[in-house]
């Protein structure tokens, strides 16, 4: 009898990290329902098929000694009569935004027009690949703010590189490249990049005038390390 050819070992897909868990919110919601950790553990065992959950594990979650997995967090939301989004800290990735909205991978893939397997791979590699239409559908489905959309679609690193160059050289040359990544009004974008350039240059000059070159270097690194956060803060301040 001919044996089938030996299949090469397939790589095990990486285990996704647990979503950011808002432990104080979980504790607050449990208390509001007059439930003890033992009641939560019982609900997770009896209603959601998680036989290993004990009151001690629930307490560990609430004291940040452990983090619930995506499945555990969804079940915990069911026990606490809340949405999964209420138990998640600020979502950072495509997967975390999806979980926060209580959606399955199939829901997102179908709505944005992607094959399920292709979408799953995007989540696994944290790398969105979609047309403008699919990106707009994704932003609408997950209720993404513009900063969240830029992060989820993997544009943060490129944006940071452009902004660092803009504040350390001629800012005018980088308005258009930044605008291709961030769909903002041209005048707002120009004013924002110019302000960041002015703040950075002013900070460096002020520090050097104190005769502290080491302090200037550290101050400059800190500014550049947080350049994307500063960009969005400046945009928000100029908008309102």
């Amino acid at each position: 009898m001919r044996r089938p050819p030996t299949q090469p070992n397939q790589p095990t897909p990486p285990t996704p990290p647990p979503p950011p868990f808002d432990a104080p919110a979980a504790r607050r919601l449990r208390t509001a329902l007059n439930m003890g950790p033992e009641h939560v553990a019982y609900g997770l065992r009896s209603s959601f098929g998680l036989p290993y959950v004990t009151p001690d594990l629930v307490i560990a979650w609430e004291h940040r000694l452990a983090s619930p997995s995506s499945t555990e967090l969804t079940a915990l939301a069911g026990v606490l009569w809340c949405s999964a989004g209420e138990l998640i800290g600020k979502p950072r990735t495509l997967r975390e935004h999806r979980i926060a909205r209580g959606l399955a991978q199939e829901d997102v893939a179908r709505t944005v027009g992607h094959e399920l397997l292709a979408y799953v791979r995007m989540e696994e590699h944290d790398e969105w690949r979609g047309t403008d239409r699919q990106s707009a559908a994704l932003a609408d489905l997950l209720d993404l703010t513009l900063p969240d959309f830029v992060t989820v679609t993997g544009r943060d690193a490129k944006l940071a590189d452009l902004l660092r160059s803009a504040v350390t050289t001629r800012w005018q040359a980088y308005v258009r490249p930044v605008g291709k990544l961030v769909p903002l009004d041209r005048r707002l974008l120009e004013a924002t990049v110019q302000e960041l350039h002015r703040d950075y240059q002013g900070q460096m000059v002020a520090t050097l005038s104190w005769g502290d070159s080491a302090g200037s270097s550290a101050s400059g690194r800190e500014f550049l390390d947080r350049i994307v956060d500063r960009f969005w803060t400046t945009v928000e301040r100029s908008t309102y």
Side-chain angles (χ1 to χ4, degrees):
M1 179 177 180
R2 186 176 180 181
R3 295 183 180 181
T6 303
Q7 295 295 323
N9 291 331
Q10 296 296 322
T12 302
T15 301
F21 181 57
D22 191 339
R27 188 163 55 250
R28 184 173 62 252
L29 288 164
R30 175 179 61 75
T31 302
L33 292 171
N34 292 319
M35 298 174 69
E38 66 278 6
H39 301 121
V40 174
Y42 176 79
L44 291 170
R45 293 195 304 268
S46 62
S47 300
F48 293 92
L50 302 177
Y52 56 85
V53 177
T54 63
D56 286 341
L57 180 56
V58 174
I59 292 172
W61 290 341
E62 293 185 357
H63 287 81
R64 297 195 179 98
L65 300 176
S67 295
S69 67
S70 299
T71 300
E72 291 165 344
L73 188 142
T74 301
L76 181 62
V79 172
L80 297 179
W81 291 84
C82 67
S83 68
E86 293 178 77
L87 297 177
I88 293 181
K90 181 174 175 53
R92 302 157 302 192
T93 65
L94 176 58
R95 173 175 165 271
E96 290 169 2
H97 279 283
R98 173 182 61 78
I99 294 172
R101 301 293 294 174
L103 297 170
Q105 291 175 319
E106 293 84 350
D107 299 328
V108 179
R110 181 175 60 253
T111 301
V112 304
H114 263 309
E115 293 292 334
L116 176 58
L117 184 57
Y119 175 78
V120 170
R121 285 178 181 149
M122 292 179 205
E123 279 200 4
E124 289 176 352
H125 298 285
D126 198 19
E127 185 177 283
W128 167 252
R129 293 183 181 275
T131 64
D132 290 343
R133 183 191 65 77
Q134 290 171 326
S135 296
L138 180 77
D140 183 63
L141 178 65
L142 300 182
D143 196 22
L144 300 174
T145 64
L146 183 53
D148 288 337
F149 176 75
V150 170
T151 299
V152 163
T153 53
R155 305 179 189 185
D156 261 353
K158 180 64 174 176
L159 177 60
D161 287 341
L162 290 173
L163 291 174
R164 290 186 188 110
S165 297
V167 301
T168 54
T169 58
R170 293 182 64 254
W171 65 267
Q172 296 91 336
Y174 292 91
V175 173
R176 187 173 181 179
V178 170
K180 290 182 178 180
L181 293 179
V182 183
L184 287 172
D185 177 78
R186 172 83 181 199
R187 287 175 296 179
L188 173 60
L189 193 55
E190 286 182 349
T192 300
V193 176
Q194 183 179 19
E195 182 176 338
L196 288 173
H197 179 275
R198 184 174 58 247
D199 289 348
Y200 176 79
Q201 296 295 331
Q203 180 173 310
M204 297 300 287
V205 169
T207 309
L208 284 171
S209 68
W210 302 333
D212 183 5
S213 59
S216 173
S217 178
S219 178
R221 283 197 303 271
E222 191 277 336
F223 191 103
L224 296 177
D225 285 345
R226 301 189 64 250
I227 191 68
V228 173
D229 290 338
R230 290 177 182 273
F231 173 79
W232 291 121
T233 299
T234 305
V235 167
E236 184 176 1
R237 186 170 62 245
S238 301
T239 304
Y240 296 101

